[in-house]
């Protein structure tokens, strides 16, 4: 491969943070970062670890697509543009240490905790908050805790909940249109500062890693529960989501993944 006429792709960038699924690098301009999507998968607070070949490529594409659509309905997001198969340019934010979970159907920890059968539709949407702390196992917290410990202000909390509901309404419709039930999902938000003022924007990613997506007719799981529950076919499920979203015209999907595995084999 030649880099003629191109900048060297990975020219000594400073790594800011390596998480479970992504790496953040310093961006080309102040206030920007590069978000690199890995194939690493973790579950149950990283007690279970694995790799899903090609997941990073798919999540990068899916998240780009969803964030672009959300920007189109007026949700402010950190997404600037996708740079390549695994990377996107984003605005650097000060992450609010709260995971906002929106639920439409009982599943996962809610089913377990309350002993309600998975798949039970909720009569109204539930918004939950989890304190982002791996050592504590991301405990469920209430708005009282969030305000008391200063993780977010009342106004920020209101903005996050409001955006979470708008995202849910939009994405529920988007997925329903392609035969997928949006069971639940997780969002992360961050602050951007403008002198002494800050505002909240949507950050991180929206992908099958952080959503429960069930096929509407078969009930098949098209998300990270395939990995959590050892169901197999993870990458095929993520690919199916991408395909239904219209992200792989003309069988481009296999081409993308082939190229990736080819690179891996060559150790690049
Ligand atoms: N725009 C952003 N600016 C700064 N940090 C971000 C931004 N978007 C996401 N993050 C943070 O970057 C990390 C992404 O990597 P990830 O592998 O998901 O980490 P983690 O293991 O902490 O979940 C997360 O900690 C997330 O909160
Ligand atoms: Mg994460």
């Amino acid at each position: 491969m030649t880099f003629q006429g191109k900048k060297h792709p990975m020219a000594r960038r400073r790594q800011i943070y390596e998480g479970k699924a992504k790496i953040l690098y310093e961006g080309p301009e102040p206030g920007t970062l590069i978000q690199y999507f890995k194939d690493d998968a973790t579950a149950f607070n990283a007690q279970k670890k694995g790799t899903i070949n090609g997941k990073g490529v798919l999540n990068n594409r899916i998240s780009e697509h969803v964030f672009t659509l959300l920007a189109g309905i007026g949700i402010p997001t950190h997404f600037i543009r996708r740079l390549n198969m695994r990377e996107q340019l984003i605005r650097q934010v000060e992450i609010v240490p709260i995971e906002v979970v929106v639920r439409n159907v009982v599943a996962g920890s809610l089913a377990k905790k309350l002993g309600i059968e998975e798949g039970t539709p909720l009569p109204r949407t539930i918004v939950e908050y989890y304190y982002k702390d791996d050592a504590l196992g991301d405990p469920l917290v209430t708005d009282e805790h969030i305000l008391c410990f200063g993780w977010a202000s009342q106004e920020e909390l209101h903005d996050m909940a409001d955006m979470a509901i708008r995202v849910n309404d939009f994405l529920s419709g988007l997925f329903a249109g392609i035969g997928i039930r949006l069971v639940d999902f997780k969002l992360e938000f961050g602050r951007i500062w403008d002198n002494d003022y800050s505002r909240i924007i949507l950050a991180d990613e929206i992908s099958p890693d952080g959503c429960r997506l069930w096929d509407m007719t078969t009930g098949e799981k098209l998300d990270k529960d395939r990995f959590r529950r050892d169901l197999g076919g993870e990458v095929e499920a993520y690919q199916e989501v991408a395909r239904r979203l219209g992200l792989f015209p003309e069988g481009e999907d296999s081409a993308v993944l082939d190229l990736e595995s080819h690179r891996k084999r060559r150790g690049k």
Side-chain angles (χ1 to χ4, degrees):
M1 198 186 276
T2 160
F3 298 123
Q4 248 177 357
K6 274 191 189 172
K7 279 187 200 152
H8 193 284
M10 302 260 186
R12 275 164 257 104
R13 284 187 316 223
R14 199 157 69 88
Q15 185 175 308
I16 306 283
Y17 176 82
E18 173 154 12
K20 298 182 292 288
K22 301 183 288 300
I23 304 173
L24 299 178
Y25 297 98
E26 200 171 58
E29 282 153 41
T32 65
L33 294 175
I34 292 167
Q35 181 165 242
Y36 176 97
F37 288 76
K38 302 191 284 183
D39 285 345
D40 297 354
T42 61
F44 311 117
N45 194 28
Q47 290 172 59
K48 176 173 174 148
K49 290 196 178 91
T51 45
I52 303 173
N53 281 325
K55 174 176 80 86
V57 176
L58 290 159
N59 283 354
N60 186 23
R61 279 297 279 279
I62 293 169
S63 200
E64 169 196 23
H65 183 68
V66 171
F67 274 62
T68 303
L69 293 176
L70 290 173
I73 61 157
I75 305 279
T77 88
H78 74 164
F79 180 80
I80 302 171
R81 63 190 151 85
R82 188 165 62 84
L83 298 171
N84 54 52
M85 288 205 297
R86 286 192 184 266
E87 296 177 325
Q88 48 182 244
L89 184 65
I90 58 173
R91 293 186 69 166
Q92 179 163 28
V93 301
E94 185 183 298
I95 283 286
V96 174
I98 299 296
E99 297 193 343
V100 179
V101 170
V102 181
R103 298 178 180 275
N104 300 307
V105 177
V106 176
S109 65
L110 184 64
K112 202 168 170 194
K113 200 162 29 190
L114 301 182
I116 305 173
E117 197 190 343
E118 225 182 24
T120 309
L122 291 164
R124 48 168 286 169
T125 297
I126 295 176
V127 178
E128 294 174 341
Y129 306 110
Y130 293 85
Y131 179 51
K132 258 176 77 70
D133 186 317
D134 286 340
L136 297 175
D138 296 344
L140 177 69
V141 295
T142 70
D143 47 359
E144 300 260 348
H145 300 103
I146 296 170
L147 297 175
C148 178
F149 298 112
W151 297 322
S153 70
Q154 183 71 259
E155 196 187 349
E156 289 173 334
L157 201 52
H158 176 272
D159 287 349
M160 293 193 291
D162 188 70
M163 281 192 254
I165 293 294
R166 287 171 68 199
V167 170
N168 183 52
D169 288 345
F170 180 79
L171 292 188
S172 292
L174 177 75
F175 283 115
I178 53 173
I180 292 173
R181 182 140 78 132
L182 180 61
V183 170
D184 55 38
F185 62 93
K186 184 263 295 186
L187 299 177
E188 289 185 30
F189 295 92
R191 290 179 194 97
I192 47 171
W193 288 89
D194 187 3
N195 293 315
D196 284 346
Y197 291 92
S198 71
R199 63 190 182 98
I200 292 286
I201 67 173
L202 186 61
D204 206 53
E205 68 179 299
I206 297 180
S207 73
D209 268 14
C211 301
R212 281 198 177 85
L213 304 169
W214 296 355
D215 183 278
M216 273 179 163
T217 42
T218 64
E220 196 188 354
K221 294 184 191 336
L222 301 172
D223 56 58
K224 204 168 86 176
D225 271 346
R226 298 208 76 83
F227 171 75
R228 290 190 192 96
R229 303 177 189 193
D230 295 317
L231 299 174
E234 292 93 341
V235 106
E236 291 77 7
Y238 283 49
Q239 257 183 72
E240 178 61 12
V241 173
R243 191 190 64 78
R244 288 197 204 178
L245 286 169
L247 300 180
F248 295 123
E250 312 306 315
E252 191 199 325
D253 50 345
S254 48
V256 166
L257 294 171
D258 285 352
L259 179 57
E260 277 291 303
S261 51
H262 177 66
R263 283 204 177 140
K264 271 225 177 80
R265 283 197 300 279
R266 295 180 37 174
K268 290 202 170 169

